[in-house]
Amino acid sequence: MPAAPFVLLQITDTHIGGDWGGEDPVAGLAAVIDEVLRLPDRPDAVLLTGDLTEHGAAAEYATVRELTSAIAAPLHVLPGNHDDRATLRAQFGLRGSGAEPIHYAVDLGPLRLLALDTSIPGSAAGALDADQLAWLDAELAGAPSQPTLLALHHPPFVTGIAPWDEIGLAQADRGALGALLEGHPQVRRLVAGHVHQILAGSLAGRPVLTAPSTYVQARLDFTATELELVPGARGFALHAVVDGEITSFVRTL
Ligand SMILES: [Fe+2]
Ligand SMILES: [Fe+2]
């Protein structure tokens, strides 16, 4: 039997505690996890790319931990605009203290995962400050040949849909991140959430993929004047390391 590749499961925008249009986020996450557990191969690690909760409450994070524990793989989390850094940090035992930005590097074996924190307390938009970019540059310089996946909540590209771009990653910070990546070809792919839909973009020639939410999905409307989130196909992404490169699978329910 051929060996399965290393697989990182990405789940995003679970929004536990949300009540948008009466939709139940717990049922959404549970359905996605059931689907993952029906796969013949278990993921080797799990990545949650932000907006784990609606209100950043401890009880909401406890629900995320309880539901995702069924996957029985190491869990890596990063904050989105709906999360509370201090509570997220406490609930998942993350390094650093209080409401400091949450960023870290973890060696998963065939893949190195770097998590960035694009959240801005009190805002739905995203940013990356100079300290975080300097940290990233140093981390990447320290492991120049290890295939690396960079994860963040706000995707570093524009969608062309105004209300989404208004709460996107600041243009100057996208530019700074792109310039930094030019010197680090080992970053094979960037993955994000936030936009509640499957989008493929690029930054510095590297593919950027967003996974669908396990909750509600963005309505496709290029001339929308406000965010429109509706019931739709929930899903997840699997990032497989094949011959040192990353191939991403997105599945919807
Ligand atoms: Fe979200
Ligand atoms: Fe978000």
Side-chain angles (χ1 to χ4, degrees), residues 12-15 20 49-54 80-82 153 164 193-196 213 215-216 229:
T12 199
D13 291 85
T14 49
H15 285 269
W20 301 358
T49 43
D51 285 358
L52 276 65
T53 67
E54 184 72 11
N81 49 296
H82 280 269
H153 181 66
W164 284 108
H194 186 56
V195 290
H196 289 236
S213 169
Y215 189 31
V216 287
L229 289 150

Side-chain angles (χ1 to χ4, degrees), residues 104-177:
Y104 55 87
V106 53
D107 186 347
L108 301 177
L111 184 69
R112 190 164 187 244
L113 170 66
L114 267 67
L116 290 177
D117 184 345
T118 53
S119 70
I120 307 169
S123 170
L128 286 168
D129 66 20
D131 285 352
Q132 196 166 180
L133 290 169
W135 170 85
L136 177 64
D137 202 26
E139 283 291 333
L140 290 170
S145 56
Q146 199 172 358
T148 299
L149 183 91
L150 189 58
L152 67 181
H153 181 66
H154 296 78
F157 58 67
V158 287
T159 65
I161 300 176
W164 284 108
D165 290 335
E166 283 162 17
I167 60 165
L169 184 62
Q171 183 182 7
D173 300 352
R174 289 199 312 269
L177 178 60

